[in-house]
Amino acid sequence: MKQNRSDGSKTSSGPNVTRWRGAIGGVLAALAGLAAGSVVAGILGTSQTPVVAIGSAFIDRVPPWLKDLAISWFGTHDKDALRTGILIVLLALAAVGGILAVRRYWAGALVVLVLAGLAVAAALTRADTGQTGFLPSMIAGLVALGILRLFTRRLEPLIDFPDDGTSRRGFLQLSGGVALGAAALALLGRVVSGNRAAVSDARKRLNLPKPPTLDPPAGVQADGAVPWVTPNDDFYRIDTALAVPQIMPSDWKLRIHGMVDRELELNFNDLLKRQAIHKWVTLTCVSNEVGGDLIGNALWSGVLLKDLLEEAGPSKDADAIQSKSKDGFTAGTPLSTLLDDRQSMLAYAMNGQPLPVEHGFPVRIVVPGLYGYVSATKWLVDIEVTRFDQFEAYWTPRGWSERGPIKLSSRIDTPLGKKVEPGPVTVAGVAWDQHVGVSKVEVRVDGGPWQQATLATDPSIDTWRQWHWTWDASRGQHLLQVRAFDEQGKPQIEDSAPPAPDGSTGLHTISVKVG
């Protein structure tokens, strides 16, 4: 109800004002806790802050359809969106806890304890947590509880006397102090988590074997298509790491074990002593929709995985490897694809530079012809030679197929989204069927006869192939479609299918306005 001032005017409703102040107190307590958790995480050298722990657990349990939905909405910013969403939900629940705590501290404290408990439990489920990875979430909860108690004590006098100037000033002073303290802790968290800066410096100092040339082969670029070489900064990133693992090259080790005659353990210097190979390879994500951009082509440098496996001596009964990332992700890869002529590698460089940290620094796997979820393990730390019937990789129990060969597909890059003038119009794009090859590309307008496009040079069956076609465009709205044929003359699948469980199919179709 309204309260009267001495001059007869109305003040805001006392209970409503107190609730808002309680909500502010709950949010500030949560922010202080999260900031304290980031400091602890930095000191311990773990990435498992409360937000990362909860987000990582969410990613581990997300069904394929929701993963694809997130990627279709946010693209390669899906993890930023997830972090933001988790933070918003946490702060909203903290606000509710702050409101409850004004009259019943135990009720607000229960909200904080549940949130902290969820974060601790989530951290404990992560393979990269270690023995202390739960501590940031635990400390965050304790700090939030303490700050929340300070706010409730400040707000208790305002429940019945909301215009008590002394108590109101005390609340404002506490709010300002907690906000400044949380900001200072967040800044300190960045400072003490110096591993990121140390890894960045170590990456810059590396002296890696240089490829003979960084220039793309002659004749590979088609007018109107995307650049044949995808710059590192533009290369798509899809993985399960909400916090990117930070690994010093000097600390990196790889164990190759399982169904082998002899186990191998390698460090980064061991790799550099081996013969380096440099190979153009196009990578594709299984979540790529028809016409999507989750594909990129780069020059990868590293060592042949075949040599290492043959040195270890895989058993004749083995048919797979299970590779493991520092963050706990696992991939199951057919052993035959690592021992044939496709030159699968342990890569440490990308387009002549050490691997970007986001793309697996210091070492990742690159296997031409397979979708990344079954092969392209980043931040690699372990390879077990085994059998498919003896393990399940990360995505298999989540509804994705076991082996994941890339499907023949094609895409129109231009005149995508543009209004064009009547007359000759260049239509161009890319087609891919890694480790099989593309022999022909055709384009049609408004469901008419297929017209053969001109193919650019094909330096390798393990890269995408660019194409272009000149269209005599007439005024009006038109539909363009493209299809590709593999090296055996087999056309791509025209029936539409979603990415799950083994890659999307269908014809890329665009609408173009002429005139």
Side-chain angles (χ1 to χ4, degrees), residues 347-383:
Y348 46 62
M350 180 180 182
N351 289 329
Q353 299 293 324
L355 282 176
V357 176
E358 293 79 7
H359 288 287
F361 182 82
V363 179
R364 65 171 293 165
I365 294 179
V366 172
V367 182
L370 298 182
Y371 287 121
Y373 81 102
V374 298
S375 64
T377 303
K378 303 174 184 176
W379 312 291
L380 178 70
V381 294
D382 187 89
I383 291 176

Side-chain angles (χ1 to χ4, degrees), residues 73 79 88 123 131 144 166 180 184 207 245 259 292 324 349 383 434 448 453 462 485 491 500:
W73 281 0
K79 294 175 183 62
I88 290 173
Q131 295 182 340
T166 301
L180 289 174
N207 184 21
M259 298 173 66
K324 182 178 291 186
I383 291 176
Q434 290 93 310
D462 293 327
F485 293 75

Side-chain angles (χ1 to χ4, degrees), residues 315-348:
S315 167
K316 292 182 180 179
D317 295 330
D319 65 2
I321 69 162
Q322 180 177 210
S323 54
K324 182 178 291 186
S325 167
K326 176 67 173 178
D327 76 327
F329 169 82
T330 57
T333 310
L335 185 60
S336 59
T337 65
L338 309 176
L339 298 176
D340 63 15
D341 62 351
R342 72 186 69 203
Q343 294 185 307
S344 301
M345 71 171 78
L346 298 184
Y348 46 62

